[in-house]
């Protein structure tokens, strides 16, 4: 039970995985920040419309994160099993079995991702106004949101397949390629946004629609690069286009048991985040704009945390795949310590940069005051969020404890945080600071639950490769 140990090899290995992931997240946040600043120059109404439309799109994004991370639990374990068996599928039956399970996992993941993309695309195409009305009653914001949605219909297919493929590639050690692709996508998005939002380089001035088109072009670029590598170059998973049609029945039960709870859990998180957006959306345009400004800062402060979380799932899965339970427990405690340390650093970062970032936006004084309150609340919550994210999205998930995590997410979010937040916003009419604390109270309670779950060792689950 040592939170901090002198194990340079462990920390070096974790950050070798985490930093490229964090840098990739940072680049994605940079794209979002540029979008926000560019659209924000069109006025608060345009900023609110794109922010709320993206709140819906983020549901799909989080579903895909759940699909990818769920698959990553299995891929990391099977990759560890394959390495433990020598790695040569032609010489080792165990290695061949693990390799087959790897491909089946990726196949199931991509099929579900495409199915979800089709559902979200149809909703965005046929009922955009109804979606926007769940966030706001402002008719002009709804009109601009409809425009943004019309240009985002096919984005889901590229966003989803690129994202889940990136996650599984990281699980077998390929972290640099996704980073390089994200750098390229950053410049693609920057150029496309500038051209189509403001009508530069001979392009038409499309304003809100231009922001959506720029994002679509960037997602297309990302998906083409990542899927091209996965289908034609990758030598670890060895997944090819023909494998999309392979039989997966032998692994379906294990996939449902381990991966689907992650999808459900992250889906609940997506709905919960949108419930927060709905509460904020009905508190006025100034509150919505303030939340859009602070959300970018919040994302900036958590990029390393997200990287360590994903590294935690990968390291835990691979260590268990190699058969070392004792080492896994030691690593679990060190990851908990990392969460506390990174949370404290993130809190200090938010307090340091909050004023300079808020001042870059041309918004009303009311929006500025609300944003300052939200920043102060975030700096407190981030300490707890960092710790429980590294445990729930990393270590406990990597151990295969996905069903219990799904149950815990349900209880803490829907029984505690959402009701408390609704009361704070609509009944008690508390300040922005306390509304945010109430809406994120699940992060506080979940941190203490993670401590007990880690200590119990019940989170380490056995995973099979299925039957031939």
């Amino acid at each position: 039970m040592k939170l901090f140990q002198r194990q340079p090899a462990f920390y070096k290995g974790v950050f070798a995985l985490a930093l490229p992931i964090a840098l990739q997240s940072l680049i994605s946040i940079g794209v979002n920040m540029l979008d926000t600043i560019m659209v924000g120059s069109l006025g608060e109404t345009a900023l609110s419309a794109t922010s709320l439309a993206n709140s819906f799109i983020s549901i799909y994004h989080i579903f895909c994160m759940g699909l990818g991370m769920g698959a990553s639990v299995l891929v990391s374990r099977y990759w560890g099993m394959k390495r433990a068996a020598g790695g040569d599928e032609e010489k080792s039956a165990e290695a061949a079995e693990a390799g087959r399970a790897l491909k089946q996992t990726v196949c199931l993941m991509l099929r579900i991702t495409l199915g979800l993309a089709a559902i979200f695309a149809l909703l965005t195409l046929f009922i955009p106004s109804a979606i926007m009305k769940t966030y706001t009653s402002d008719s002009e914001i709804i009109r601009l949101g409809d425009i943004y949605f019309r240009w985002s219909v096919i984005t889901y297919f590229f966003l989803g397949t690129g994202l889940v493929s990136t996650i599984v590639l990281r699980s077998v050690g390929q972290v640099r390629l996704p980073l390089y692709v994200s750098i390229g996508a950053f410049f693609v998005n920057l150029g496309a946004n500038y051209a189509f939002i403001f009508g530069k380089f001979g392009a038409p001035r499309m304003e809100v629609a231009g922001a959506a088109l720029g994002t679509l072009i960037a997602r297309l670029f990302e998906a083409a690069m990542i899927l091209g590598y996965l289908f034609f170059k990758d030598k670890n998973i060895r997944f090819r286009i023909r494998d999309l049609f392979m039989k997966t029945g032998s692994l379906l039960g294990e996939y449902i048991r381990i991966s689907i709870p992650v999808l459900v859990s992250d889906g609940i998180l997506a709905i919960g985040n949108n419930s927060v957006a709905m509460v904020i959306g009905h508190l006025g345009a100034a509150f919505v704009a303030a939340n859009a400004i602070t959300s970018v800062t919040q994302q900036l402060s958590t990029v390393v945390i997200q990287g360590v979380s994903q590294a935690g799932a990968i390291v835990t899965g691979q260590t268990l795949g190699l058969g070392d339970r004792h080492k896994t427990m030691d690593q679990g405690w060190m990851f908990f310590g990392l969460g506390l340390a990174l949370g404290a650093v993130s809190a200090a970062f938010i307090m340091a940069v909050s004023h300079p970032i808020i001042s870059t936006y041309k918004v009303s004084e009311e929006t500025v005051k609300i944003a300052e309150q939200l920043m102060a609340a975030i700096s407190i919550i981030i300490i707890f969020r960092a710790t429980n994210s590294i445990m729930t999205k990393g270590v406990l998930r990597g151990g295969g404890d996905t069903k219990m995590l799904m149950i815990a997410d349900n209880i803490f979010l829907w029984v505690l945080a959402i009701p408390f937040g609704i009361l704070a916003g609509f009944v008690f009419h508390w300040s922005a600071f306390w509304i945010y604390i109430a809406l994120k109270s699940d992060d506080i309670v979940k941190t203490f639950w993670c401590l007990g779950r880690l200590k119990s060792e019940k989170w380490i689950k056995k995973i099979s490769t299925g039957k031939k």
Side-chain angles (χ1 to χ4, degrees):
M1 191 178 167
K2 293 182 179 179
L3 299 181
F4 304 100
Q5 300 181 30
R6 291 186 177 180
Q7 292 195 22
F10 167 77
Y11 293 108
K12 183 178 179 181
V14 168
F15 284 102
L17 286 170
L19 289 180
I21 296 172
L23 286 171
Q24 186 178 358
S25 297
L26 185 62
I27 292 166
S28 297
I29 291 167
V31 170
N32 293 338
M33 180 178 286
L34 285 172
D35 285 353
T36 303
I37 293 172
M38 288 182 182
V39 175
S41 69
L42 302 175
E44 287 190 8
T45 302
L47 175 60
S48 297
T50 56
S51 174
L52 293 176
N54 275 304
S55 292
F56 178 75
I57 295 173
S58 72
I59 298 177
Y60 175 71
H61 186 277
I62 295 176
F63 269 125
C64 289
M65 285 293 295
L67 277 170
M69 292 304 298
S72 176
V73 174
L74 293 172
V75 168
S76 298
R77 191 75 68 92
Y78 295 145
W79 180 242
M81 292 178 183
K82 186 176 177 180
R83 288 168 58 200
D88 192 336
E89 296 183 29
E90 295 181 359
K91 296 181 180 179
S92 169
E94 291 83 1
E97 185 74 5
R100 176 193 57 81
L102 267 176
K103 288 185 178 182
Q104 288 182 318
T105 301
V106 175
C107 181
L108 285 166
M109 175 193 71
L110 288 173
R111 288 175 182 175
I112 296 173
T113 300
L114 290 170
L116 277 175
I119 293 171
F120 274 81
L122 290 172
L123 290 173
T124 301
L125 179 63
F126 290 113
I127 56 169
S129 295
I131 295 170
M132 288 299 299
K133 285 177 182 178
T134 63
Y135 296 104
T136 182
S137 57
D138 189 304
S139 59
E140 182 61 14
I141 293 176
I142 292 171
R143 185 186 71 81
L144 292 176
D146 287 355
I147 293 172
Y148 191 90
F149 274 142
R150 283 202 297 271
W151 286 89
S152 301
V153 172
I154 63 172
T155 301
Y156 297 104
F157 295 95
F158 304 119
L159 166 63
T161 54
L163 178 59
V164 297
S165 299
T166 291
I167 293 172
V168 297
L169 285 172
R170 289 172 182 163
S171 300
V172 296
Q174 179 52 269
V175 294
R176 292 186 179 182
L177 175 71
L179 174 60
Y180 299 150
V181 171
S182 289
I183 293 171
F186 173 84
F187 289 105
V188 170
N189 189 261
L190 174 62
N193 270 5
Y194 183 70
F196 292 109
I197 291 176
F198 303 114
K200 304 296 183 179
F201 310 124
R205 182 182 174 90
M206 299 172 65
E207 299 189 347
V208 168
L213 179 57
T215 299
L216 169 60
I217 293 170
R219 297 303 187 190
L220 173 59
F221 173 82
E222 284 182 310
M225 295 295 103
I226 293 296
L227 292 175
Y229 179 84
L230 177 65
F231 292 154
F232 301 108
K233 287 287 187 179
D234 175 65
K235 295 181 180 179
N236 291 331
I237 301 174
R238 297 183 180 182
F239 191 89
R240 300 296 178 256
I241 293 177
R242 64 177 178 274
D243 294 321
L244 286 169
F245 307 99
M246 72 187 302
K247 294 181 179 179
T248 56
S250 62
L251 192 72
L252 185 59
E254 196 71 356
Y255 188 90
I256 291 172
R257 184 176 74 88
I258 298 296
S259 296
I260 296 303
V262 179
L263 169 62
V264 174
S265 182
D266 282 9
I268 292 168
L269 174 63
I271 295 170
N273 286 341
N274 270 260
S275 297
V276 173
M278 289 174 189
V279 172
I280 291 173
H282 287 88
L283 292 173
F287 212 120
V288 172
N291 186 60
I293 293 168
T294 58
S295 65
V296 174
T297 306
Q298 187 176 174
Q299 290 171 354
L300 283 171
S301 69
T302 59
V303 289
V304 176
I305 294 167
Q306 293 172 14
V308 173
S309 296
Q310 293 191 39
I314 294 168
V315 169
T316 301
Q318 291 183 359
T319 303
L320 286 173
L322 293 170
D324 198 333
R325 183 187 179 100
H326 178 74
K327 184 178 180 181
T328 301
M329 281 301 302
D330 280 345
Q331 290 174 343
W333 287 112
M334 287 189 285
F335 273 116
F336 194 93
L338 272 176
L340 292 173
L342 290 173
V345 171
S346 296
F349 171 80
I350 290 171
M351 295 306 295
V353 305
S354 60
H355 179 70
I357 288 182
I358 292 172
S359 64
T360 63
Y361 293 90
K362 296 179 181 179
V363 292
S364 66
E365 185 63 28
E366 181 187 5
T367 300
V368 169
K369 290 180 179 179
I370 294 172
E372 289 173 347
Q373 289 188 52
L374 293 179
M375 289 287 195
I378 292 166
S379 67
I380 295 172
I381 292 296
I382 197 66
I383 299 173
F384 298 97
R385 183 178 300 165
T387 307
N388 76 62
S389 291
I390 289 173
M391 299 311 298
T392 59
K393 309 303 180 188
V395 176
L396 302 182
R397 181 175 284 181
D401 198 27
T402 54
K403 183 178 180 180
M404 180 56 69
L405 290 171
M406 177 183 68
I407 295 171
D409 281 340
N410 263 296
I411 293 173
F412 295 133
L413 181 63
W414 295 106
V415 177
L416 174 64
I418 298 300
F420 193 18
I422 291 173
L423 288 173
F426 297 112
V427 179
F428 303 137
H429 303 291
W430 286 350
S431 66
F433 176 89
W434 289 110
I435 291 173
Y436 188 88
I437 293 291
L439 286 167
K440 300 299 180 180
S441 57
D442 58 323
D443 280 316
I444 299 172
V445 177
K446 198 184 298 184
T447 300
F448 293 98
W449 177 83
C450 286
L451 182 63
R453 190 65 179 173
L454 175 63
K455 189 175 182 179
S456 73
E457 300 189 25
K458 294 178 180 179
W459 55 278
I460 300 177
K461 307 295 184 181
K462 183 179 179 181
I463 294 177
S464 72
T465 57
K467 296 180 179 179
K468 289 184 177 181

